[in-house]
Amino acid sequence: MTPLIDAPASDRIAFDDFMKVDIRVGRILKAEPFPEARKPAYKLTIDFGPTVGVKKSSAQITRHYTLDELDGRLVAAVVNFPPRQIGPIMSEVLTLGFPDADGEVVLVGVDRDAVVGGRLF
């Protein structure tokens, strides 16, 4: 995927279209190396609370984050995309981030303690 740095704004959508994308806050329970990935990445196990549950994700965030600093961190993710096979793991959610100046991923941050499983609005 090419980072969308300086890309033009997308076409307008209806609010109902936005609501189709289920973005939730989750807490990283475990971050592990993912040496089988084509590009440097981590395997994340994220708790989204009792409604969504615990899900796995692959995230190309090795440039800015160590495994230790990811444990317990709150992240935002799309939880209603179909699962996607990434090497030997099934990535069940899309962990969200923005590109830095070099196109490397910077995680979307939650700056206060939010309820795990809470939906973005």
Side-chain angles (χ1 to χ4, degrees), residues 18-67:
F18 168 74
M19 291 305 295
K20 291 176 185 176
V21 182
D22 192 349
I23 300 171
R24 305 274 179 137
V25 63
R27 186 173 307 279
I28 298 175
L29 300 176
K30 182 169 48 171
E32 304 172 87
F34 189 10
E36 305 91 350
R38 282 185 282 165
K39 294 182 180 179
Y42 294 138
K43 292 185 273 188
L44 305 177
T45 302
I46 308 169
D47 178 13
F48 290 98
T51 302
V52 176
V54 175
K55 302 291 183 183
K56 300 226 182 270
S57 182
S58 169
Q60 296 175 358
I61 56 174
T62 60
R63 174 97 173 263
H64 293 297
Y65 305 95
T66 65
L67 293 170

Side-chain angles (χ1 to χ4, degrees), residues 74-88:
L74 292 174
V75 292
V78 176
V79 299
N80 66 331
F81 284 154
R84 187 170 174 196
Q85 190 73 44
I86 309 289

Side-chain angles (χ1 to χ4, degrees), residues 62-109:
T62 60
R63 174 97 173 263
H64 293 297
Y65 305 95
T66 65
L67 293 170
D68 289 339
E69 67 185 309
L70 292 170
D71 285 338
R73 181 186 178 105
L74 292 174
V75 292
V78 176
V79 299
N80 66 331
F81 284 154
R84 187 170 174 196
Q85 190 73 44
I86 309 289
I89 75 159
M90 185 64 71
S91 187
E92 301 172 291
V93 299
L94 175 65
T95 305
L96 298 175
F98 292 104
D100 69 7
D102 297 322
E104 298 290 333
V105 178
V106 176
L107 290 171
V108 170

